Amino acid sequence: MKFGCHVSIREGYLGAAKHTAALNASAFQYFPKNPRSLTVKKFDKIDAASCREYCQQHSLTSIAHTPYPTSLTPSHDKREAVIESLINDLEIAEACGSVGIVVHFGSQISSHDPLASYQLMIEVLNDVTSKWEGVCKILLENNAGKPGSIGTTFEELVQVRNLCENPLKIGFCLDTCHAFASGLWDGDNWEALAVKGQELSYFKELYAIHFNNSKFQSGLGKDRHANIFKGGHIKKKQFEELINSPVLKEVPFILETPSKEGITHKDEIEQLQHTWG
């Protein structure tokens, strides 16, 4: 199993990769630039190339996460900034050797037209992928809203990808806390969910898992991450069913869990490796 966590680029992209190795992890996630800004970054290409080489030498898998202001359903005045920022994220992640960049599914923008959000998402994704020539993918992440909220089902994620002009440049990232919060996965329906995902070809395009427990019960729509073995509502045996699923065999599990609640990411990764490694 590939276990890892989100790491800082405070010491550069190569530094992030070396920190991952020091954690005895085999995967990591990072923000390619300031997580609170859409400003295009002129990045250190030598540092990025060194990160790519180091990851290849040490068999590390990485993904990037887009900055918080990134939205696939942007307001008209933010649309170009979002597109330019996404292309910049792809360029950085490609240079670092990352599989893809994670971006959250869009949000509801119209109270009277339920299709407006999906149409805008597809337009933005088409704009980005038409300008992107690399192999790094955009990874759509499932939302954590209450049941029925936009972006909480496999069907939506798959359909948006299928309707894009360049679907081969798009994949998925599954967040376990989001899935639990939205009721997509209630902890006891993984077998049925795995069948549905296979029927929709969702798992064929799944490149990363955000591996998080939930501080709240399933179906409440609350996105509050908990540590895997501490303070969460998802039980060990429920995680075990998910982890042992053949459809997730090659997918890296990346922690976005709290690191200030009595357990470090290093300790948590060691626990994961001891339990399921």
Side-chain angles (χ1 to χ4, degrees):
M1 300 297 299
K2 294 181 179 180
F3 293 118
C5 63
H6 188 99
V7 298
S8 170
I9 60 164
R10 189 179 298 110
E11 297 180 3
Y13 303 117
L14 174 60
K18 287 184 175 180
H19 180 63
T20 300
L23 294 173
N24 196 29
S26 52
F28 66 99
Q29 176 181 269
Y30 62 97
F31 286 117
K33 57 194 180 197
N34 184 345
R36 305 194 181 280
S37 173
L38 294 176
T39 302
V40 170
K41 179 180 181 179
K42 292 183 179 180
F43 65 100
D44 186 335
K45 295 184 179 179
I46 294 177
D47 180 34
S50 297
C51 173
R52 172 191 282 266
E53 184 178 358
Y54 186 90
C55 289
Q56 290 174 341
Q57 291 174 347
H58 294 80
S59 300
L60 300 178
T61 299
S62 71
I63 60 171
H65 196 299
T66 55
Y68 297 123
T70 307
S71 171
L72 292 179
T73 49
S75 57
H76 181 72
D77 61 321
K78 296 281 183 66
R79 180 164 170 165
E80 285 307 312
V82 166
I83 291 170
E84 290 177 9
S85 179
L86 279 167
I87 293 172
N88 183 225
D89 293 337
L90 284 163
E91 291 171 345
I92 295 171
E94 176 105 340
C96 290
S98 302
V99 175
I101 61 166
V102 177
V103 59
H104 294 152
F105 200 89
S107 56
Q108 191 62 260
I109 62 172
S110 173
S111 59
H112 63 274
D113 183 359
L115 297 180
S117 298
Y118 304 108
Q119 291 168 342
L120 179 55
M121 281 185 64
I122 292 167
E123 289 175 9
V124 170
L125 287 167
N126 284 343
D127 282 344
V128 173
T129 57
S130 67
K131 299 172 183 175
W132 175 240
E133 303 274 324
V135 299
C136 186
K137 295 178 182 288
I138 293 174
L139 305 181
L140 301 178
E141 181 179 356
N142 56 305
N143 283 346
K146 291 183 179 180
S149 300
I150 186 173
T152 58
T153 67
F154 284 167
E155 287 87 349
E156 292 169 275
L157 291 151
V158 170
Q159 186 70 340
V160 164
R161 179 183 181 275
N162 287 345
L163 291 174
C164 284
E165 294 172 355
N166 302 290
L168 294 180
K169 298 180 182 181
I170 300 169
F172 305 118
C173 171
L174 175 65
D175 188 302
T176 55
C177 175
H178 293 184
F180 193 74
S182 69
L184 173 66
W185 176 44
D186 63 14
D188 296 319
N189 67 332
W190 178 256
E191 184 176 349
L193 198 58
V195 171
K196 178 186 287 187
Q198 287 177 290
E199 292 173 348
L200 294 169
S201 296
Y202 171 85
F203 293 113
K204 287 183 179 180
E205 307 301 333
L206 182 66
Y207 291 89
I209 291 174
H210 284 168
F211 197 43
N212 306 306
N213 209 323
S214 172
K215 289 189 176 182
F216 290 91
Q217 295 175 343
S218 180
L220 297 182
K222 294 185 177 182
D223 182 15
R224 291 289 304 281
H225 298 185
N227 295 104
I228 300 302
F229 299 110
K230 179 182 179 182
H233 282 271
I234 305 174
K235 301 172 184 177
K236 178 183 174 182
K237 65 178 181 179
Q238 293 171 328
F239 272 131
E240 192 160 285
E241 184 181 18
L242 182 148
I243 280 182
N244 290 331
S245 180
V247 297
L248 304 181
K249 187 176 180 181
E250 304 297 327
V251 185
F253 287 72
I254 297 174
L255 296 168
E256 293 179 320
T257 51
S259 57
K260 297 180 180 180
E261 297 190 8
I263 179 171
T264 66
H265 278 147
K266 181 177 177 61
D267 291 338
E268 198 163 13
I269 289 169
E270 287 178 356
Q271 287 181 344
L272 293 174
Q273 292 169 338
H274 176 74
T275 305
W276 292 305

